[in-house]
Amino acid sequence: MEDQRQWGDASFKAYNRPLAKPWPYRIADGELLEQTVTLNWAPSGAEAVVAEAHPSESEALFPQTALVITPEDAWRLADHPEDLAVVSPQRLLCQLDTTVGDATPQFAAFAAAQAACTDTEFDLELVCLGQDDPFVGMPHIASLLAGSGFSPASILICPSVVRSSTPPGSDWTPCAPLRPFMRLQPRRFPK
């Protein structure tokens, strides 16, 4: 079973048989599928440390929450910054998709939202083609960002193909190796 609760669909996904078997498959009426999980454990010999069951409010740690926004959402937010109070995220993750066209108006939308919501951290998810060479077009994108007035706290460069679902047993969509994407960010987008 796979826990999807950190994703938008907040679900559990159960697979009916081992992923090592061919996929997809048919289950005939009356066919029985069985799996077994065996757990073994032994005492460690060390005395267990019992954590405080209910830490005080000042001791409790909770990760920051982020809300993903598109350029269209950003334009609306620029006009209605009070809308953020409904969700009260600590961060906004701005999805800029270079595969859908010119990045200039997308950067402008995020800059407008950032100017209207000065108490919120803005991060950038920069979606690029990434099928061949991740460096193609990045100097241009970096210069557009530098001149846009948008100043994200962090940048994640993401090849567009990794956003698509690849069910178990399916062929992965061709993608350039991810290591160049990881090395690309500090060189093209210095702080």
Side-chain angles (χ1 to χ4, degrees), residues 11-185:
S11 64
F12 290 95
K13 184 188 298 177
Y15 297 100
N16 290 323
R17 65 184 202 168
L19 296 177
K21 292 191 173 188
W23 183 94
Y25 55 89
R26 287 189 194 274
I27 302 173
D29 283 345
E31 184 179 347
L32 180 63
L33 297 177
E34 291 185 28
Q35 290 188 48
T36 302
V37 175
T38 304
L39 300 176
N40 296 305
W41 67 89
S44 68
E47 214 171 292
V49 177
V50 178
E52 172 80 21
H54 301 285
S56 70
E57 200 171 297
S58 63
E59 296 172 321
L61 295 176
F62 192 81
Q64 290 188 333
T65 57
L67 183 65
V68 176
I69 63 171
T70 65
E72 294 77 18
D73 299 327
W75 283 122
R76 177 177 164 76
L77 190 56
D79 291 337
H80 302 281
E82 68 279 2
D83 288 354
L84 255 169
V86 175
V87 180
S88 298
Q90 288 87 22
R91 308 182 83 83
L92 291 174
L93 178 58
C94 303
Q95 272 191 343
L96 190 143
D97 192 342
T98 64
T99 68
V100 298
D102 187 7
T104 303
Q106 296 180 73
F107 278 128
F110 296 133
Q114 189 173 44
C117 303
T118 56
D119 293 335
T120 305
E121 288 284 339
F122 283 71
D123 300 299
L124 175 64
E125 179 183 38
L126 180 59
V127 178
C128 54
L129 283 173
Q131 292 170 325
D132 298 312
D133 184 354
F135 299 93
V136 173
M138 280 302 145
H140 175 67
I141 296 296
S143 69
L144 291 178
L145 173 59
S148 70
F150 178 53
S151 181
S154 68
I155 300 172
L156 168 68
I157 300 173
C158 175
S160 64
V161 296
V162 301
R163 297 184 304 163
S164 59
S165 177
T166 306
S170 299
D171 291 332
W172 284 84
T173 307
C175 178
L178 295 180
R179 190 168 306 281
F181 284 92
M182 291 183 265
R183 287 194 306 261
L184 171 65
Q185 182 172 325

